[in-house]
Amino acid sequence: MSAVKMIRSKKTAVGWIAGFCVMAAVSVLTGCSTDSTKTDSTKATDTKGSASTADATPSQKGQSGAGDQSSARGAVATWVTAVVQDRAKEACLAMANPGMDGAPPTPNTAEMCSGNGEEAKEMKEQVHRVHTAFTPDQPKNPPTVKVAEVPVTDKKATVDGEQITVDGQTLKAIVLSNSTGVEEDEVVVRIEVGVREGRWYVTDLRLSVV
């Protein structure tokens, strides 16, 4: 089976999600451009520096901060919820371009996310593609998204697919169920988040089948 690897940041948040490309091993994600930037999806989370813990209090509906980007967990829950509901604008607004050399991330603008330009169209198409991979069979409306407590290091955090559940299933298991010819240990799902002025954003998605 061919090795499959994808996403890495480009110049903008639209760029990194547009780089999303999985080949034949994941049947539901075929057909994207072959010019995506490839990286080693096994990159380890940096554990150095000043570490803290993200807010661990789930909302009363069972969603760990969905709609609330005041914590790393909330940003992930907000973004995953929007993706599962195929709401490209909401997903776009929860995304940001990762900062370089320690700089804070640069969030997407409301104008870009709600516009009709090429970036907005590309974002909508790619969010729909991720939606196909992330959506469980017969999802709830709205989906119940929970995100485990994660460490925050240098104002960044990484959440694995096994730390996120949608309607009681891990995100990794859902991606696996939407794939063919893939074993559980071959699927890697990681979502990176960063903070700017107290508000957290998804800055990178790493999804690979190896």
Side-chain angles (χ1 to χ4, degrees):
M1 178 175 57
S2 301
V4 180
K5 297 180 181 179
M6 37 136 303
I7 301 182
R8 189 51 197 158
S9 306
K10 292 187 178 180
K11 293 182 179 179
T12 65
V14 173
W16 64 251
I17 198 168
F20 182 82
C21 183
V22 178
M23 292 177 283
V26 184
S27 62
V28 299
L29 300 177
T30 57
C32 56
S33 173
T34 58
D35 65 353
S36 61
T37 302
K38 298 179 182 180
T39 63
D40 182 4
S41 63
T42 59
K43 176 183 176 184
T45 303
D46 183 6
T47 57
K48 298 180 181 179
S50 175
S52 61
T53 301
D55 174 35
T57 305
S59 70
Q60 291 182 346
K61 293 183 179 181
Q63 294 173 283
S64 298
D68 176 13
Q69 290 174 235
S70 63
S71 70
R73 297 171 71 229
V76 173
T78 295
W79 187 75
V80 171
T81 298
V83 169
V84 172
Q85 293 183 306
D86 205 12
R87 299 169 68 92
K89 179 181 177 180
E90 286 80 356
C92 178
L93 290 171
M95 295 163 57
N97 180 43
M100 302 298 291
D101 300 322
T106 302
N108 287 338
T109 65
E111 291 76 14
M112 188 279 285
C113 292
S114 60
N116 295 316
E118 287 303 314
E119 282 189 320
K121 291 179 181 178
E122 190 173 32
M123 174 68 71
K124 183 177 181 180
E125 291 173 0
Q126 300 304 330
V127 166
H128 180 69
R129 182 163 298 183
V130 183
H131 156 79
T132 303
F134 281 9
T135 303
D137 185 40
Q138 298 181 337
K140 296 179 181 179
N141 188 20
T144 299
V145 178
K146 296 183 180 181
V147 182
E149 182 177 350
V150 294
V152 175
T153 303
D154 296 331
K155 298 182 179 181
K156 298 178 182 179
T158 300
V159 186
D160 290 336
E162 292 180 324
Q163 296 174 303
I164 305 164
T165 62
V166 179
D167 297 344
Q169 300 179 62
T170 69
L171 193 56
K172 179 178 178 178
I174 293 169
V175 171
L176 181 64
S177 71
N178 288 325
S179 309
T180 58
V182 178
E183 300 296 330
E184 182 178 359
D185 60 358
E186 296 175 325
V187 176
V188 176
V189 183
R190 291 193 182 115
I191 297 174
E192 297 180 9
V193 290
V195 64
R196 185 185 184 96
E197 298 178 351
R199 190 172 179 83
W200 287 83
Y201 300 88
V202 170
T203 58
D204 206 354
L205 168 62
R206 295 166 181 261
L207 176 59
S208 66
V209 180
V210 295

